């Protein structure tokens, strides 16, 4: 892929906007450029009356999204890229848009990748896809919604084991647990996600959007509950993300070695 290729691509297909994370050389890991381009695409989708459904997928055949860019983090760059609170990577997690979103998970969905799937309304997964929150292996914390969305979307004890061990689930197990709507052959992920999107786009947009708004309002609890979840996450995350573990955990990944955590 040319070095100057954009980190995310946008493709309008009738009433469906397809956003493709486009850093396959880095397993579509989220850096500031990718976050900003995803944010711009989401803002366009939200404001364009012609767009009724958004499909989010990853470039290449190996990864949907491998989470935050650990090389950037190991260089001390912020995970919360400036300006992405409303629309960027974190924005997608914290401020779901009013239109239905479908994650077409074409491979690894790890860390922020799983958090993007958790923040999506529907998930179509490749048979080879894997879902996980390995942040704790890097000294990090699933601060983009993982820590409170995962226990809400799958059984609590399974969610706790995933968060504490950092070990992934395969697509079949994720579907059994309710994290995935459809598991399809790897080659069919985008086609199947688009077919589902067209099915939704054929229905009354305002009614579909109102259904999403009310359902999320109930599932996420009252605004105060949702805000306290984020505030609590942020309080815990800041403590974790400013620790020496972050530098050691991410450097260990970059240097392809086991991390050596400081004795606590
Ligand atoms: C202060 C808090 C405020 C809270 C409110 C809002 C916060 C907003 C910001 C918070 C964001 C938090 C996001 C999230 O919770 C945090 C994370 O996501 S941490 C990252 C978690 N992900 C991982 O640990 C996965 C890392 N990758 C792997 O384990 C493996 O690469 C793989 C995916 C299992 C594939 O393995 P392999 O097949 O062996 O392939 P390679 O490992 O060789 O990878 C190929 C190539 O890609 C590069 N790469 C892979 N993953 C990443 C990555 N995450 N970052 C950067 N680069 C990655 C890898 O280095 C290889 O490159 P090469 O070495 O060939 O140059």
């Amino acid at each position: 892929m040319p070095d100057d290729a954009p980190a995310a691509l946008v493709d309008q297909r009738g009433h469906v906007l397809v956003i493709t994370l486009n850093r396959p050389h880095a397993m579509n890991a989220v850096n500031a450029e990718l976050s900003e381009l995803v944010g711009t695409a989401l803002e366009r989708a939200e404001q364009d009356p012609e767009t009724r459904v958004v499909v989010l997928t990853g470039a290449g055949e190996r990864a949907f999204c491998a989470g935050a860019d650990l090389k950037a983090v190991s260089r001390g760059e912020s995970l919360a890229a400036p300006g992405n609170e409303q629309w960027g990577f974190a924005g997608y997690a914290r401020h779901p848009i009013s239109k239905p979103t479908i994650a077409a998970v074409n491979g690894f969905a790890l860390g922020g990748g799983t958090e993007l799937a958790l923040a999506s309304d529907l998930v179509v997964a490749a048979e080879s896809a894997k879902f996980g929150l390995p942040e704790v292996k890097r000294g990090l914390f699933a601060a983009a919604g993982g820590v409170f969305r995962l226990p809400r979307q799958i059984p609590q004890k399974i969610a706790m084991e995933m968060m504490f061990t950092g070990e992934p689930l395969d697509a079949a197990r994720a579907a059994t647990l309710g994290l995935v709507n459809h598991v399809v052959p790897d080659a069919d992920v985008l086609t199947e996600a688009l077919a589902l999107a067209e099915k939704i786009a054929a229905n009354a947009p305002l009614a579909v959007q109102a259904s999403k708004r009310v359902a999320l309002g109930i599932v996420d609890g009252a605004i105060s509950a949702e805000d306290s979840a984020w505030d609590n996450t942020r309080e815990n995350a800041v403590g974790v993300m400013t620790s020496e573990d972050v530098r050691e955990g991410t450097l260990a990944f970059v240097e392809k070695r086991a991390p050596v955590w400081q004795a606590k």
Side-chain angles (χ1 to χ4, degrees):
M1 189 183 81
D3 287 347
D4 58 351
L9 305 170
V10 171
D11 180 10
Q12 187 78 40
R13 300 197 188 188
H15 291 304
V16 180
L17 185 71
V18 181
I19 303 173
T20 303
L21 309 183
N22 189 40
R23 300 188 70 222
H25 59 288
M27 297 287 177
N28 299 320
V30 179
N31 65 359
E33 183 204 357
L34 184 150
S35 180
E36 190 172 346
L37 290 175
V38 167
T40 306
L42 290 171
E43 197 170 9
R44 163 182 161 176
E46 190 67 332
Q47 291 164 0
D48 175 8
E50 282 307 300
T51 297
R52 296 180 183 172
V53 185
V54 169
V55 171
L56 183 68
T57 192
E61 294 166 358
R62 307 219 22 242
F64 170 68
C65 174
D69 186 326
L70 293 169
K71 294 176 181 171
V73 176
S74 75
R75 293 191 295 267
E77 292 168 24
S78 163
L79 280 176
N84 77 351
E85 271 299 317
Q86 176 57 31
W87 293 108
F89 166 81
Y92 185 87
R94 178 155 197 183
H95 306 289
I97 65 171
S98 65
K99 300 164 186 189
T101 54
I102 301 172
V105 180
N106 56 301
F108 286 110
L110 299 176
T114 278
E115 290 171 312
L116 288 174
L118 289 167
S120 300
D121 299 308
L122 304 172
V123 176
V124 177
E127 286 166 351
S128 67
K130 289 202 172 26
F131 297 82
L133 292 178
E135 285 83 348
V136 290
K137 290 178 180 288
R138 319 297 178 212
L140 287 164
F141 184 85
V147 285
F148 61 87
R149 281 208 174 101
L150 189 65
R152 261 204 319 244
Q153 296 189 23
I154 70 173
Q156 181 178 321
K157 287 192 169 40
I158 309 289
M160 293 303 193
E161 182 175 353
M162 280 181 74
M163 286 191 287
F164 299 164
T165 66
E167 293 306 312
L169 294 179
D170 64 22
R173 177 103 167 98
T176 306
L177 294 169
L179 194 55
V180 167
N181 295 81
H182 304 284
V183 179
V184 300
D186 289 14
D188 299 341
V189 169
L190 187 55
T191 306
E192 291 296 326
L194 287 171
L196 182 55
E198 291 297 346
K199 203 181 285 185
I200 296 169
N203 295 326
L206 294 181
V208 170
Q209 291 166 33
S211 305
K212 172 170 177 174
R213 187 166 51 250
V214 174
L216 283 187
I218 293 171
V219 164
D220 289 349
I223 295 296
S224 57
E226 183 68 1
D227 279 354
S228 62
W230 274 101
D231 293 345
N232 183 269
T233 298
R234 185 184 295 273
E235 281 160 26
N236 285 278
V238 169
V240 170
M241 292 190 178
T242 52
S243 74
E244 180 53 31
D245 281 354
V246 172
R247 177 166 169 70
E248 167 55 16
T250 52
L251 207 52
F253 172 77
V254 172
E255 296 171 354
K256 301 188 191 293
R257 61 176 173 76
V260 178
W261 306 120
Q262 285 181 356
K264 290 288 180 276

